[in-house]
Amino acid sequence: MSDKHPVTALLQAWRVGEESALEQLTPLVYEELRKRAGYLFSGESAGHTLQPTALVNELYGRLVDVEVDWQDRAHFYALCSRIMRHILVDHAKAGRATKRGGNMLIVSLDETGIVENASEAQHRQTETEDLISLDQALQQLATLDKRKAELVEMQVFGGLSFREMGVVTGLSESTLDRDLRFARAWLRSRLATPSV
Amino acid sequence: MSHASDSSSWGEVEALFHAALELPADERTAFVEQSCSTSPDIRDQVLLLLRHDAQASGFTRIVGDAACHLAVPPARDGSVVGAYRLLTRIGEGGMGVVYSAERADNLYVKRVAIKLVNTALVSDELRQRFMSERQILAALEHANIARLLDGGSTDDGSPYLVMEYVQGLPLDEYCDRRALGVRERLELFVKICGAVHYAHQQLVIHCDLKMSNILVADDGEPRLVDFGVSRLLSNAGGEEAASEGSRPRRLTLRYASPEQVRGDVPRTATDGYVLGVILYELLTGMWPHDVAADDQAAVMQAILEQIPRLPSRVATPVRARQLRGDLDSILMKSLQKETTDRYESVARFSEDVTDYLALRPVMARAGNWHYRLRKLVRRNRVASMATTVLLLSALAFTATLAERNRQVAAQRDVAAFERDKAQAVTGFLADMFAQATPDVAQGRDITVRAVLDSAGESLTDSLDNSFADNPLVAATIRRTIADVYLSLGLLDTAEPHIEFALATLRREGQTETEDYVRALAAKDILLGLRFEHEQAKAVSEESFAISSRVLGDNHPLTIAALNSLGVKHHMTGNLTLAMTIFEEIYRRQVARLGERHPLTIRALRSVGIIHHWLGHYTRAEQHYRDCVALARDVMGERHSLTLGCLSNLGSVLETTGRYVEAEPIIRQHLAQARDVLGDDHPETLRSMHNLADVYRGLGRIAEAGDLFQKTLERRREALGDAHVETLQTQMKLARLFRQIGDHDRALPLMKDTLTRQRDTLGETHPTTLIAAQEMADLLLARDEHEAAGALYLSILSARESALDYEHPDSIATLAGLAEVRLVQGNLAGYEQLMRRAITLADSHPRVSVPDFAESRQAFLRFSDAVSASMPDMRASAETH
């Protein structure tokens, strides 16, 4: 077996049931994902065309040997989706605490062309809140129905297809479809009317 | 409102939700009401979920938005960085965050902007590079560039940059808020160009120009911010990414050039392109391409492949009038896909805008390289930046000259020698450029000429000849210098360098090398530009022979040499040989590149052109039609090759007198050429000429006269008085004057045409013969029979000595000479010549010769009369 990256071996160990492999795997992937995310998203300006799912895809190509079978790939994606959610939420929470200078002076020294002024700051604030609300709703969902919360996490943060989710969870496509439809409707209703 | 947050009812809610979804939408509410008649709580929950079922979730957007803010480092408000205290966060990007700051020691009050790079992104290598390269940026001192003041590392190791604090509005916003007109916008733009060009001379490329990086303060002065910063960052990041096998895009696509989209190394021309996009937006309010901004793939494709919309077409009607013509051309030129088709430098771009503002003719409208060259020489503007770009790129890869030079001497290994030779050459060029820099700092235009001259002197000065040990390096440098002189049109200056290179290579026994082939090619160009075609032909032959041996039959240099040889044969009137050569080139290009490659299509077009000249009009027409179809297919309707072939097709239809067929084709070409290439482009003028000819053929004499006159004026201006195409129009105008009986106006035009053509092309060149024919016709019309007859005879004998008896042009010559004989009373001669003319005309059924139908009718009437009333004369003619 190739020793291209320890991730490959750990991934295979985890899939055949070695839970300790997951413990080793998570920090490795976390660090990579965070670094790459910071780098990759920095280059994107308008349009937000680069989604986390694309990043997961890219990371997979770099960390895992090409010859691993696609079930490992599905597991890797599932893992990444969880980590990605943590990264984004941690960051959003840290950002919420930040005091911002909301003045109208425009100094653009940035690569992305995001010129911040009062309304932009407002906008960013909203984006941060959106993600934190989504995360909270997902947490509530998990207390009611862990499986559904995990499915949404895989789909939204990791971009897993039904087939990949099927590999990870052992569920049929029709079950996945039903579960996700219900879960998404529930989350939307949750986000539309925040609990008091 | 209650939520399904109670685990006891969860299963029931879910089951009802799915059951309801099985039903048509309008029956669901009733179903749920009925099913939950005893538990309103569950009913409400299910109905709520159903309402949210069909909606777009927006989850992906939420996650994407959050991801975009991932790279922002934590806040540092109030903390001290170097000598500065951070005040407030005023902007952010992926690579870091920008704070306004002031001196922490309160020594003096100065607002600055500090950019902190995200710690997570910093590798040791990046940090090192960041620190060393910021020195370069710190050297940028220009009134319109925000200065880099300082830089360093924070305690936790993040690099930071201290920049001048600029207060102002983004360029577009400034222009719009002040409702600036075209002129004011252009004046601002020229200032911006000045700053960018200054940086280019300091070898700094911006690479990330955009509206928000150009701020305009209240006093109306634009300031460029972030100069080169993105380059530093993307260099460092790019390297890191490259080593990992995938290079992510870090581009603001809206302001990206084709080469950036392709992932090529940005150059000064990249900034030039982006300035074009910016100016386009400033003047039209639109992006150059008509694609949805959020469709990234379409945007990229448009940047790579789409010709921008003509600015005057997208602007408001009021604006459009100001943009049409010059500004259209300037913008279209700046937005060319190939860097070599754009302005040679931002300075040239800016100069054209300035010329426009000063109501001088602009360069962009010339388009054609030859035209530009001539213009350049005429205006004696040798400070062209064409080569500055070359020097700049040479500099970027430069190693220290002296060391390399010593190494070269020591090298035995050929490959290493070649490599080091290349380095020595670029190193030398870099030195030349460095010498010129003090001039630049004084604000003078850098003159490539001066740089080259001093380089040439230092090389020829034997006392200070650092290349004495390396004659081959010297030869390559001299040849490179010669190439630059040639591109500036400085033929005499180029010559000694070419001769030196050739002599050195011969002395060193290096004649069987690519260097020697290239040096020969330079000589070939030199001779060609001097119209010394016979000599040039010998050089083409030699370079072709060597290139074939050394580089092989299908090497681009070999084929270029062969093509050059074909052109020489064409120019010297040896059409049969030219034909053989172009057919051979076509065969090789088909084998090498396939039938649909642009170079192959060009070769096919050349074959068609020779057929055209040889009078094989049917075959020429077929070739042209094939070329048009292929070029249209491969390169699109508006590509210059497509247009060129279309023009040829129109021209052959005109030549053969098929004016009705020709008119729509030429009109189509003319419209497209005007659109794509501009009003004064040689290709456009060619089409105007052809159209005038068609009018003449159709008997629309007044229109033809006007158009010829206009074309002649433009060609004289654009191509010069002696250009073969100027003379062509001059001759056609003269013919028109003759046909309307205005012989006095025709004569000086014809005399001038014929003299110039004999000088440049020679007595027997096909083009000269056509002019001679027209001159003879004019002389005949003026009743100068002797002179006319002599001229007709000399034309016929020239064709016959070229074994070209069957050329359709001879129909008119024979008819003309026949008429001379008739007025001279030589009826036998008349009859004999007319019979030859008629036989020749019958063998070219598709060719229509002007006025020949009348001559023929007259002859037939004469012939009938003769056979009826003068049998003995007829008999005598036959026995003659």
Side-chain angles (χ1 to χ4, degrees), chain A residues 36-40 42 48 58 91 105 108-111 124 127 145 148 178 181 184 186 188 190 193, chain B residues 3-4 10 14 52-53 57 65 69-71 94-95 115 165 167 210 212 225-226 233 244 246 248:
Chain A
R36 298 296 296 163
Y39 180 64
L40 283 179
S42 66
H48 302 160
E58 195 235 24
H91 187 77
L105 293 176
S108 169
L109 289 161
D110 60 278
E111 296 83 19
R124 211 180 88 80
E127 287 175 0
D145 195 329
K148 287 192 179 62
R178 280 167 65 91
R181 189 167 185 179
R184 291 174 80 103
W186 188 86
R188 278 193 292 269
R190 204 65 215 173
T193 51
Chain B
H3 287 285
W10 183 257
E14 187 180 1
H52 284 97
D53 173 60
S57 72
D65 286 348
H69 297 291
L70 201 55
M95 276 300 189
K115 177 168 197 149
Y165 186 85
Q167 193 166 354
K210 53 193 169 194
S212 59
V225 299
D226 243 8
L233 294 169
E244 287 157 356
S246 70

Side-chain angles (χ1 to χ4, degrees), chain A residues 7-49:
Chain A
V7 167
T8 305
L10 289 170
L11 200 53
Q12 283 164 346
W14 173 44
R15 188 167 69 81
V16 298
E18 239 180 88
E19 280 301 313
S20 67
L22 183 60
E23 284 165 27
Q24 290 175 267
L25 201 50
T26 305
L28 269 178
V29 174
Y30 185 96
E31 197 42 40
E32 283 292 337
L33 208 49
R34 195 179 61 82
K35 264 169 54 185
R36 298 296 296 163
Y39 180 64
L40 283 179
F41 292 123
S42 66
E44 293 299 318
S45 54
H48 302 160
T49 45

Side-chain angles (χ1 to χ4, degrees), chain B residues 199-238:
Chain B
H200 286 176
Q201 290 178 321
Q202 310 299 317
L203 308 178
V204 179
I205 306 174
H206 194 298
C207 289
D208 195 23
L209 287 164
K210 53 193 169 194
M211 296 294 183
S212 59
N213 272 341
I214 303 168
L215 301 176
V216 189
D218 278 348
D219 62 359
E221 282 297 311
R223 287 295 191 73
L224 290 149
V225 299
D226 243 8
F227 223 112
V229 171
S230 91
R231 183 79 201 284
L232 291 189
L233 294 169
S234 64
N235 261 355

Side-chain angles (χ1 to χ4, degrees), chain A residues 34 38, chain B residues 70-74 94-97 116-122 158-159:
Chain A
R34 195 179 61 82
Chain B
L70 201 55
V72 179
M95 276 300 189
V97 67
L116 280 168
V117 176
N118 191 359
T119 336
L121 306 172
V122 178
S158 311

